[in-house]
Amino acid sequence: MSALDTISVNRDDGTPGFGIYLHWPFCAAKCPYCDFNSHVRHQPVDQERFMRAFMREIAHMRGLSGPRTVTSIFIGGGTPSLMKPETLGGILDAVADAWHVPAGIEVTLEANPSSVEAERFRGYRAAGVNRVSMGVQALNDRELKFLGRLHNVEQALGAIRLAREIFPRMSFDLIYARPGQTNAAWEAELNQAIDLAADHLSLYQLTIEEGTPFYALHKAGKLTVPDEDRAADLYEITQAVTAARGLPTYEVSNHARPGAESRHNLTYWRYGDYAGIGPGAHGRLTTGDGKIATATERHPETWLAKVEEGGHGMVADTPLSTEEQADELLLMGLRLREGVDIARWSELSGRMPDAESEAFLLDLGLIERIGNSRLRATPQGMLLLNRIVTELS
């Protein structure tokens, strides 16, 4: 049993918290829409060697952050469910050795249905994972093939059933606004997903990211995605259906039953501190000299060599001015249905929101006040967050 003695409680007192993000960069295949830091290796990865490197970088991040109480841990990728449970257990034990990790905090593992095995899932649970996030992406085989996924619907359903059996909490992702997707087809697929869901869904619009195979196809005119109006229609259907079914929006793309929101992701959106560990991980840490933005080497083997030589794979530790922090707080907080704490934003920025800009956005129906203390985007404003942030900052 891991030193992380986790249980099913998700303790969330409304504060940003302190999260730990662990990035496992390896995948069995690269999806054509994905621009995450993921890498395919055709030879077995030396997991023990990478585990030791994670341990060393954890120790380095502890030196930067000082003593903290961890409120959530998230293991992302890549495909962390390709890890052996003992690899993950060793990494989580190192986190518990470095910081104070109370019983009951949220510990999430990303998993792909194609790499799910009952024995491995039980091993992750024994290591301390109490929440799993499944990369399902679609609930029909033709669309899964289009998205480059290695699993089929039958495997996805089996993985969901297994996750619900083993883990106290479970979420899964779907991608919508796919080529040719109709309102009726998405509504039916979404209702099917809610029937399967435990307490949380992440629902993302398909975006064409530069450098991906889908980008090349789109640029060549061989891939057409819904235009802005069609995408907005699908987004509105998403909001209406999830609200009616008891999983309302709490962030632009995330839906949960009350109390089942992702504690770790709330730490990002509430602009808390988090340590980013592993190849290509980013972090935000408050040190004795102020808040810094950290980033590590993206290429896994290069990161490994840097850690083995110098104790960490960081390539950036950039100081953030209070003005930059205020901009980030606004950008992240407006993604949340709870909105932004105006006093906190003003303390960082040294000013109140511009009254003329706020009035303009209020008249357009893009933002609204929650009493006198908070500002949030309306459902319509959620589609235009960059414009809102530009106007207000």
Side-chain angles (χ1 to χ4, degrees):
M1 184 71 174
S2 168
L4 287 154
D5 182 19
T6 55
I7 55 176
S8 60
V9 178
N10 179 32
R11 296 178 180 142
D12 185 357
D13 61 2
T15 59
F18 175 61
I20 305 296
Y21 176 73
L22 303 161
H23 190 81
W24 186 260
F26 301 109
C27 277
K30 185 79 171 177
C31 296
Y33 58 85
C34 177
D35 70 337
F36 293 164
N37 187 42
S38 59
H39 303 261
V40 177
R41 295 291 179 264
H42 299 294
Q43 298 297 324
V45 172
D46 188 340
Q47 293 199 24
E48 185 172 342
R49 188 178 170 196
F50 270 91
M51 180 181 69
R52 290 194 298 269
F54 269 88
M55 292 174 171
R56 290 195 67 184
E57 189 160 85
I58 287 166
H60 179 78
M61 293 297 180
R62 167 60 173 80
L64 291 176
S65 73
R68 300 289 298 268
T69 295
V70 176
T71 52
S72 66
I73 301 170
F74 195 102
I75 308 101
T79 307
S81 54
L82 293 174
M83 262 193 285
K84 300 173 185 176
E86 52 265 37
T87 303
L88 177 60
I91 294 170
L92 291 178
D93 282 345
V95 172
D97 289 341
W99 294 282
H100 175 51
V101 180
I105 69 162
E106 177 188 278
V107 182
T108 302
L109 175 84
E110 287 187 339
N112 279 346
S114 57
S115 63
V116 165
E117 299 172 5
E119 184 177 352
R120 184 175 288 177
F121 260 24
R122 291 190 177 94
Y124 297 145
R125 181 72 186 101
V129 174
N130 57 14
R131 181 176 183 271
V132 68
S133 179
M134 306 282 295
V136 173
Q137 313 308 8
L139 289 172
N140 70 72
D141 287 335
R142 181 178 62 83
E143 296 295 287
L144 286 171
K145 185 175 181 180
F146 161 73
L147 291 169
R149 306 299 286 169
L150 297 180
H151 63 274
N152 57 31
V153 171
E154 183 179 357
Q155 289 173 309
L157 297 181
I160 289 169
R161 285 193 296 268
L162 188 63
R164 293 191 65 164
E165 174 188 331
I166 293 174
F167 298 98
R169 300 179 61 213
M170 185 271 293
S171 177
F172 64 88
D173 302 354
L174 289 180
I175 294 174
Y176 68 100
R178 305 187 296 257
Q181 189 173 40
T182 65
N183 291 357
W186 172 233
E187 186 170 350
E189 187 175 3
L190 182 53
N191 273 300
Q192 182 186 1
I194 294 171
D195 290 339
L196 297 167
D199 57 15
H200 191 286
L201 285 173
S202 296
L203 306 169
Y204 301 104
Q205 291 191 23
L206 178 63
T207 55
I208 305 300
E209 303 292 350
E210 191 169 353
T212 65
F214 271 8
Y215 179 83
L217 289 171
H218 183 68
K219 193 172 182 181
K222 297 179 180 179
L223 175 63
T224 303
V225 295
D227 61 23
E228 287 186 6
D229 290 339
R230 285 283 301 114
D233 289 343
L234 292 165
Y235 176 79
E236 289 174 6
I237 288 170
T238 304
Q239 309 316 300
V241 171
T242 54
R245 296 291 306 276
L247 277 83
T249 305
Y250 72 95
E251 188 270 345
V252 174
S253 301
N254 285 273
H255 308 257
R257 303 193 190 284
E261 298 86 356
S262 167
R263 171 66 189 180
H264 188 82
N265 287 336
L266 283 173
T267 293
Y268 296 152
W269 298 320
R270 288 172 174 164
Y271 202 51
D273 277 10
Y274 57 98
I277 297 151
H282 291 258
R284 294 291 186 274
L285 291 174
T286 300
T287 71
D289 297 322
K291 195 155 188 165
I292 61 172
T294 67
T296 58
E297 166 61 45
R298 289 173 59 86
H299 184 263
E301 287 75 19
T302 305
W303 171 85
L304 181 63
K306 286 177 68 70
V307 175
E308 289 178 338
E309 181 179 347
H312 65 86
M314 285 174 52
V315 293
D317 56 347
T318 309
L320 295 170
S321 68
T322 53
E323 185 72 21
E324 289 171 324
Q325 292 178 51
D327 287 345
E328 290 189 341
L329 170 67
L330 189 64
L331 180 64
M332 300 301 283
L334 285 175
R335 297 180 64 88
L336 288 169
R337 187 66 185 141
E338 69 184 34
V340 173
D341 183 334
I342 296 171
R344 187 179 174 207
W345 181 83
S346 297
E347 183 179 356
L348 286 170
S349 66
R351 65 181 189 278
M352 292 295 290
D354 181 74
E356 186 175 336
S357 296
E358 184 179 343
F360 173 68
L361 294 169
L362 285 166
D363 287 344
L364 290 177
L366 299 180
I367 61 171
E368 58 190 3
R369 284 267 186 162
I370 309 172
N372 293 319
S373 62
R374 303 188 76 84
L375 189 70
R376 71 180 176 189
T378 64
Q380 296 78 17
M382 289 285 188
L383 298 171
L384 298 166
L385 284 178
N386 288 338
R387 178 180 178 184
I388 293 172
V389 171
T390 299
E391 288 284 345
L392 291 175
S393 59

